[in-house]
Amino acid sequence: MNLTSKADILVFFANAIDTMGEDGSRIYGCTIHYVFLNTMVSAQSEYDITKSVGMQRGKSWVDYNMRDKVRIAPAIYEGTFEMAVGSDGKPVLKLTDIAYKSHVQFVPYVLPGLEVPGMIPCDAPDSASVRAALETLKSPAEPQKNEAAAENAEPSKNDAKADKAEPPKNEKADKKAV
């Protein structure tokens, strides 16, 4: 039975390794560090030291050639996972393939009302401004007229006669005539 599933992941790091271990054995493969995108949640609404904060990263040891598929990081990839048995005998999700989906952009923003002990003031925009800016980036851009380009464009055949009527000024020629 083959249990395979796909999930969007944010890849932070990938590194291919080809070296010799302390015992002389060959270490050959690639390590990929990632988080599942569907587990990204906002900051805790109430402070509780007994609960974890942030996201736990996943780490997979994969075939050396998989490094060629991770050209950009951090970036969003579609990961193909299959259920396998780990070295401790427990079931684990194993990354078996990866495909690039998109770039990511980390944007700093301020959450109004959020106070953290030792917090340093930040001049980043608030989250509503950031969302509005990101929505603007998603909408298709309208073509703009470039008037400067029209001025610098090469003259057409009809305009060539007008250019010949006024010869270019030559400073050396003007000095000799005086």
Side-chain angles (χ1 to χ4, degrees):
M1 177 186 237
N2 186 4
L3 299 173
T4 305
S5 62
K6 294 181 184 272
D8 286 348
I9 57 176
L10 175 60
V11 173
F12 287 104
F13 175 79
N15 187 28
I17 299 168
D18 185 4
T19 188
M20 297 300 270
E22 291 180 10
D23 62 352
S25 63
R26 185 176 186 198
I27 301 172
Y28 184 74
C30 177
T31 182
I32 298 177
H33 298 235
Y34 59 91
V35 292
F36 288 98
L37 288 181
N38 61 350
T39 61
M40 291 189 163
V41 293
S42 61
Q44 290 178 347
S45 59
E46 294 181 24
Y47 177 70
D48 186 354
I49 197 164
T50 63
K51 294 181 180 175
S52 63
V53 65
M55 296 175 286
Q56 181 70 31
R57 62 131 174 95
K59 180 180 174 184
S60 287
W61 180 256
V62 294
D63 185 66
Y64 185 87
N65 296 328
M66 184 109 55
R67 172 62 181 88
D68 192 41
K69 293 182 177 186
V70 182
R71 299 280 177 110
I72 301 166
I76 297 173
Y77 289 82
E78 180 181 76
T80 302
F81 296 85
E82 72 178 36
M83 191 63 72
V85 178
S87 59
D88 58 358
K90 295 180 181 178
V92 294
L93 277 178
K94 181 179 178 185
L95 182 65
T96 57
D97 198 12
I98 197 165
Y100 174 81
K101 284 189 88 173
S102 73
H103 281 43
V104 294
Q105 181 177 22
F106 294 101
V107 180
Y109 63 92
V110 174
L111 288 174
L114 177 67
E115 293 292 328
V116 177
M119 187 169 158
I120 298 171
C122 180
D123 61 352
D126 63 37
S127 60
S129 301
V130 171
R131 279 194 298 272
L134 291 175
E135 287 302 318
T136 303
L137 291 174
K138 288 180 184 177
S139 62
E142 293 182 21
Q144 296 178 354
K145 293 181 180 178
N146 189 349
E147 293 176 13
E151 291 174 7
N152 296 333
E154 294 202 16
S156 64
K157 292 180 182 179
N158 295 338
D159 293 339
K161 293 177 185 175
D163 288 342
K164 289 180 183 178
E166 192 175 318
K169 292 185 179 180
N170 186 346
E171 292 179 17
K172 291 181 181 179
D174 291 340
K175 288 180 182 176
K176 288 181 183 177
V178 174

